[in-house]
Amino acid sequence: MSQVFILVDHTHGKVAHPVGELATFARRIGDVSALVLGGDLAVLTTQLSDLGISEIISISGINFDKYSAGASAQAIAQLVTDRSPAALLITSTARGKEIAARVAVRTNSGIITDAIDIDAALVATQSIFGGSTTVHSKVGHGTPIITLRSNSVEIESSATTPTLTEVKVVESDFDASRLGDKVVSVTEAISGGRPELTEASIIVSGGRGTNGDFAPVEALADVLGAAVGASRAATDAGWYPHSHQVGQTGKTVSPSLYVACGISGAIQHRAGMQTSKVIVAINKDPDAPIFDLADLGIVGDLFAVLPQATAEIQLKKA
Amino acid sequence: MKIAVCVKQVPDSWAEKKMSGGLLDRAGVDAVLNDLDEYAVEEALRLVEKHSPTGEAGEGSGHTVTIISMGPDRATEAIRKALSMGADDAILISDPALAGSDALATSLVLSKIIVREKFDLVLCGTESTDARMSVVPAMLAERLNLAQLTFAGSLEVDVATSKISVARTTDAGIENMEATLPAVVSVIEKINEPRYPSFKGIMASKKKSIATPSLSDLGVNPQSVGIGSAWSTVNDAKERAARAAGIKVVDEGNGGKVFADFLAEKRMI
Ligand SMILES: Cc1cc2nc3c(=O)[nH]c(=O)nc-3n(C[C@H](O)[C@H](O)[C@H](O)COP(=O)(O)OP(=O)(O)OC[C@H]3O[C@@H](n4cnc5c(N)ncnc54)[C@H](O)[C@@H]3O)c2cc1C
């Protein structure tokens, strides 16, 4: 059977949830080899034991997180060249797409980004123009490199004991330019214990209509186990960190439920959320464009509607 | 400093986009300068102004801002906008053989110009509003073997030491990164507020040069670009049925309850 590479995204010893989706897709195509760059291998390996993975390839020796995508891409491209896998699957995060882009250039391979599905014949499905058009495409050159959006598939678990291949690298293995861009410090975003935006199955977002008070948005999010999102108006005002921005220049999300509170529905905001399965909008303005997308639109004051909804949901859950 | 800003002409964000023959149908829609590229143009101008003895960009500043683009002849309209903001000159690679080029081909062509002109700093927007792949800056860094500083929310250059530092916004938070020029940088829309072209700027832009080198000038084989050589092919593209119209209710004191009932009915709680 052919071999498929998936890239394991991890931070602080935790494997990102969409890695399970990559494994699920990859198993349709062949035996799954999971690439793990850096990190505490023992800790990460235990989290990879029920995803049907055949092999873990660990690449260690330098701190890949300290550099831009270039160093990771060089290490991965080397493995792709050595092993010629049937495909390389990566999660569609900003960094994931950069790594994919650079591996594609380096290995003379075609690339498809932001796919939402892939079949055994490597035909990828993309949803473009804000979900209005579905495209099927295929890479016809080199190793197909495909990035997949999270929340695209139900993870199928299957216990395995993967074999381990260890690759050691040293700084001098890399082109100088790749280690020339260095992270000198990081200010970590505070998640408040809520799910990560692109991984969450429910998102409650606030806009200018919150007037800077996200408390009712957060309270609803917490009772739903949801992530908190924000419009650009809200992040520009400094009410919420940019890492929570949904839209053209923020994150693209596709949760099962998206709740837009005090958000007008500008085209740049829609670009990031309009493929959500169910959309609920709360807005004072009956003519707000967000209502064109909403499965349920409530014309009203979010400061009245959200607390009532939160209390009702709490009751129903009890 | 020789600064290049990569820009793309795209259909207006508000235009309804459709596919035709496996490609975006560009004929029927208004085309504009990709608005995310305006932030890159603005940042280039601000950098020059900051390091210019006169405080102004253009001649006498000791630095240049060149707009580079690949696209149809019509892309000169988008380029003029960037020139009217204050960029010095432009290079447009326009060849029928390029039609339908993918990001790999685009980055190839742009990289050839960048190598030929020996730019110190290459600025890009984070993505084009039409294709939305967000991969060209990384591909350029790969092809050019340059430092890659993407998603910059602020940017400083020390001209004397050629050191560049950015604060980039990532999933993890804010990362401060450093490198030595030359480098490829993409900027997010929080970095600045692009200026509107002044009347003087618009008039001046008409006299600015837009060079149009051919693919062979750049040493690019026409067979290696364009739709025929794209390394991924579209099998089919179907328009999806529009979202079904939803329910709209006016809150009369029970809006929150309506919402909770709706979720219960959908089995979401
Ligand atoms: C290059 C570019 C990129 C952009 N990228 C993004 C992006 O990634 N994401 C994004 O979101 N935007 C983006 N934008 C901005 C976008 O155009 C809008 O300006 C922005 O989305 C507006 O945010 P908003 O809906 O919160 O604010 P507004 O448009 O001001 O809407 C606020 C809404 O709140 C309602 N409201 C007010 N008070 C209440 C209340 N008490 N209860 C209920 N409703 C209330 C109002 O009726 C109004 O509809 C971008 C713009 C540009 C030019």
Side-chain angles (χ1 to χ4, degrees), chain A residues 98 132 136 177 181 184 236 286, chain B residues 145 148 150 176 190 235 248:
Chain A
E98 290 180 349
S132 68
H136 292 107
S177 75
D181 40 29
V184 287
D236 272 358
Chain B
N145 218 346
Q148 172 201 308
T150 44
N176 295 301
K190 302 243 185 278
N235 301 1
K248 191 158 145 191

Side-chain angles (χ1 to χ4, degrees), chain A residues 43-238:
Chain A
V43 171
L44 297 171
T45 305
T46 53
Q47 299 167 59
L48 296 170
S49 60
D50 63 347
L51 298 176
I53 291 169
S54 318
E55 181 192 18
I56 291 174
I57 306 177
S58 147
I59 309 175
S60 62
I62 67 161
N63 181 358
F64 289 96
D65 293 340
K66 228 179 85 189
Y67 307 101
S68 80
S72 304
Q74 186 176 351
I76 295 168
Q78 187 60 51
L79 272 173
V80 168
T81 307
D82 293 347
R83 298 252 200 126
S84 310
L88 165 63
L89 310 186
I90 298 180
T91 306
S92 271
T93 57
R95 186 173 175 92
K97 289 209 283 188
E98 290 180 349
I99 292 174
R102 297 189 66 149
V103 175
V105 167
R106 211 171 158 89
T107 62
N108 281 327
S109 298
I111 174 174
I112 293 172
T113 57
D114 298 306
I116 53 168
D117 197 11
I118 180 166
D119 68 13
L122 290 161
V123 174
T125 308
Q126 289 162 293
S127 172
I128 60 166
F129 308 153
S132 68
T133 304
T134 302
V135 178
H136 292 107
S137 43
K138 200 174 167 172
V139 168
H141 199 283
T143 300
I145 297 174
I146 295 157
T147 77
L148 287 133
R149 284 211 179 131
S150 51
N151 273 330
S152 294
V153 72
E154 199 76 47
I155 295 173
E156 290 163 20
S157 53
S158 152
T160 51
T161 312
T163 58
L164 178 64
T165 307
E166 290 196 69
V167 179
K168 299 275 184 213
V169 292
V170 289
E171 282 196 6
S172 59
D173 293 337
F174 294 86
D175 306 344
S177 75
R178 273 161 222 278
L179 305 182
D181 40 29
K182 282 199 190 67
V183 176
V184 287
S185 64
V186 183
T187 316
E188 299 225 7
I190 306 152
S191 70
R194 297 191 181 90
E196 215 281 307
L197 203 53
T198 51
E199 296 176 11
S201 60
I202 303 181
I203 295 173
V204 183
S205 286
R208 199 189 313 271
T210 63
N211 204 15
D213 180 4
F214 264 64
V217 171
E218 290 182 332
L220 177 64
D222 288 343
V223 71
L224 290 170
V228 173
S231 72
R232 179 174 167 201
T235 60
D236 272 358

